[in-house]
Amino acid sequence: MSEVAQDFSPFLRLYKDGHIERLMGVDIVPPVDPNSNVMSRDVVYSPALDLSCRLYLPKNTDPNQKLPLLVYFHGGGFLIETAFSSTYHNYLNTLVAEANVIGVSVDYRRAPEHPLPAAYDDSWTALKWVASHVNGDGPEEWLNSHADFSKVFFNGDSAGANISHQMAMRHGQEKLVGVNVAGIVLAHPYFWGKDPIGNEPRESSQRAFAEGLWRLACPTSNGCDDLLLNPLVDPNLAGLECSKVLVAVAEKDLLRDRGWHYYEKLRENGWSGEVEIMEAKGESHVFHLLSPPGENARLMLKKITSFLNQDKA
């Protein structure tokens, strides 16, 4: 067997012969789940790149009923996981049923085979595909019939939260015509920076691991103060195109202080929307995906559900 060139356990290993061994998120489950209160199916959004998204619709939805539209971007450091793994399929089933929204879970190309900005570009392509349904004449009937484009939300965890932020920034610059992004939900967002803040580790070995993961995902990056990784260095932050933001952090998460820093600094940078934060005590990174029956995960689901439905008529 080839020797390991770089070991980023528990996420992935790179071997000297060039092959990549992903250690998490490699399972794929079908969209049909008879035990769920949600219908789902996979739809190609980029034929050129053969990329799909998984759509979710609550069962027994009235044929003419419009629902808030949730576009979800999965986490995994831009390196692992897919929209079709059991982790994300189970979570989207639960969230869509609880919040009574229509969901689009986006799959995107992953690094290192497809380094950033591939994931951002694919996510934007998916959003343009979603926006093609604004007038009710798009290729996917569920979106034509049920998506309320005045109430669109971006949501993601970890790297997916990073993508959600970047998509709201890009929407501010390029505009998805007919789409109103009412809010974004950033769960344990994958933000970082060159200089430690708060209780972040000062040890070079720990920070080197974090920086190594980022450089694997984005080898052309100028470092950890790249505005793709550290949004607070972005001079255009006030252009975040949404009305409200919910940031969720976990007490024992390495990324906790970055989430708090984003929450505290967003309005100071000229953004005029509403931002709120919730912290789960005693929990670690993406605990809500790994232990969904837990009390803190239930409270987080309830909070996100409320956030998605605050303005529902």
Side-chain angles (χ1 to χ4, degrees), residues 214-231:
W214 171 247
R215 288 204 173 276
L216 184 61
C218 191
T220 59
S221 173
N222 59 15
C224 289
D225 276 342
D226 189 318
L227 60 81
L228 294 175
L229 186 60
N230 186 355

Side-chain angles (χ1 to χ4, degrees), residues 94-110:
T94 302
L95 178 57
V96 165
E98 184 78 12
N100 197 39
V101 298
I102 184 169
V104 178
S105 184
V106 177
D107 202 49
Y108 50 81
R109 290 172 295 167
R110 298 169 303 182

Side-chain angles (χ1 to χ4, degrees), residues 1 28 38 45 58-59 69 75 87 90 134 138-139 141 156 170 173 180 191 197 200 210 216 254 261 272 298 305:
M1 177 180 275
I28 293 177
V38 175
Y45 71 82
K59 290 179 179 176
L69 171 59
T87 296
N90 293 339
V134 163
E141 191 51 42
R170 191 159 176 176
Q173 296 166 347
N180 175 58
F191 299 145
I197 61 170
E200 286 180 356
L216 184 61
L254 176 68
H261 200 49
S272 58
R298 189 190 67 79
T305 295

Side-chain angles (χ1 to χ4, degrees), residues 75-80 108-111 116 119-120 159 162-163 190 214 217:
F78 306 102
L79 300 163
I80 60 170
Y108 50 81
R109 290 172 295 167
R110 298 169 303 182
L116 293 176
Y120 298 121
N162 177 305
I163 292 172
Y190 179 25
W214 171 247

Side-chain angles (χ1 to χ4, degrees), residues 52-102:
S52 299
C53 52
R54 182 161 289 185
L55 272 58
Y56 295 83
L57 181 69
K59 290 179 179 176
N60 303 317
T61 299
D62 184 281
N64 299 312
Q65 185 180 3
K66 297 291 187 180
L67 301 173
L69 171 59
L70 177 74
V71 184
Y72 195 92
F73 304 98
H74 72 80
F78 306 102
L79 300 163
I80 60 170
E81 280 289 357
T82 71
F84 315 119
S85 74
S86 57
T87 296
Y88 286 101
H89 182 64
N90 293 339
Y91 181 66
L92 265 294
N93 268 332
T94 302
L95 178 57
V96 165
E98 184 78 12
N100 197 39
V101 298
I102 184 169

